[in-house]
Amino acid sequence: MEITNMENFLEYYGKIRQRTNRLIAVIPPKYMDWAYKPGKFTIADIIRHIAAMERYMFAENVLGKPCIYSGCGKELADGYDNVIHYFNEKHEESLTIFKRLSDEDLQRKCLTPGNAPITVWKWLRAMTEHEIHHRAQLYIYLNLLDVKTPPMFGLSSEEVIQNSQLK
């Protein structure tokens, strides 16, 4: 899907973030520092990572600037409330940048951290894929912890089956 209209993209991206926020809202604070094994991202690391990559890689790159991502550790935000605040604050900063982009800006090139040129609209699409990827990790983590998670699009698989009319 080619992104040709910034207003439409921002509306779409807002829906992506709403689904991520619904999932983050069910995370029990006691599990923020949990990881499935030592050395892997914790739940809080994943949330900080989504936020920091959005702001310090994707947003910087679409401005024509180099990536300034430096990780996703506790030094950015520690504790449930601080992590959620950081997540929302970096998103608002990123949106301020994205809202300044014109439809024409979507067609110009920017450089990825690997110095590969990419069309801005493709980089923004990659940003949404990045968030979705990490949201899926959060779903798996929470399922491993037996935390009830919200269905992605309003119905669970079981509810879709129950509502289906087999012919």
Side-chain angles (χ1 to χ4, degrees):
M1 168 188 90
E2 182 175 354
I3 301 166
T4 59
N5 179 287
M6 205 55 210
E7 184 178 332
N8 290 346
F9 170 75
L10 290 169
E11 181 180 332
Y12 166 73
Y13 189 46
K15 291 175 183 174
I16 296 291
R17 183 49 61 99
Q18 284 174 358
R19 288 191 284 277
T20 302
N21 283 336
R22 275 196 302 273
L23 179 62
I24 288 173
V26 304
I27 298 170
K30 68 182 181 180
Y31 291 136
M32 288 299 273
D33 291 324
W34 184 87
Y36 67 93
K37 75 184 215 182
K40 296 298 181 181
F41 276 0
T42 66
I43 289 173
D45 289 337
I46 294 170
I47 295 168
R48 288 186 296 256
H49 177 74
I50 294 168
M53 291 290 281
E54 175 190 41
R55 175 59 190 89
Y56 297 122
M57 185 179 76
F58 291 105
E60 289 297 308
N61 291 160
V62 301
L63 288 173
K65 297 179 179 180
C67 173
I68 55 174
Y69 174 80
S70 63
C72 59
K74 287 184 175 189
E75 67 280 357
L76 298 175
D78 191 20
Y80 185 87
D81 291 337
N82 293 329
V83 170
I84 301 306
H85 176 75
Y86 179 82
F87 183 73
N88 292 325
E89 177 183 64
K90 295 304 146 194
H91 182 61
E92 287 305 315
E93 290 175 15
S94 299
L95 286 179
T96 297
I97 291 167
F98 300 146
K99 287 175 182 176
R100 292 192 309 232
L101 296 175
S102 68
D103 294 347
E104 293 75 27
D105 287 329
L106 293 170
Q107 301 306 318
R108 65 176 168 73
K109 299 281 186 179
C110 64
L111 288 177
T112 70
N115 288 321
I118 187 169
T119 308
V120 166
W121 73 262
K122 290 180 181 178
W123 198 231
L124 291 173
R125 182 180 63 189
M127 178 183 67
T128 63
E129 292 171 3
H130 176 261
E131 181 165 328
I132 292 165
H133 159 76
H134 288 295
R135 184 174 64 218
Q137 284 182 308
L138 290 171
Y139 267 102
I140 291 168
Y141 275 35
L142 293 172
N143 282 308
L144 289 169
L145 293 165
D146 290 322
V147 174
K148 183 169 173 35
T149 56
M152 182 82 66
F153 300 109
L155 296 175
S156 68
S157 174
E158 296 78 13
E159 290 167 329
V160 171
I161 292 168
Q162 184 179 5
N163 293 346
S164 292
Q165 295 182 10
L166 301 175
K167 299 188 182 201

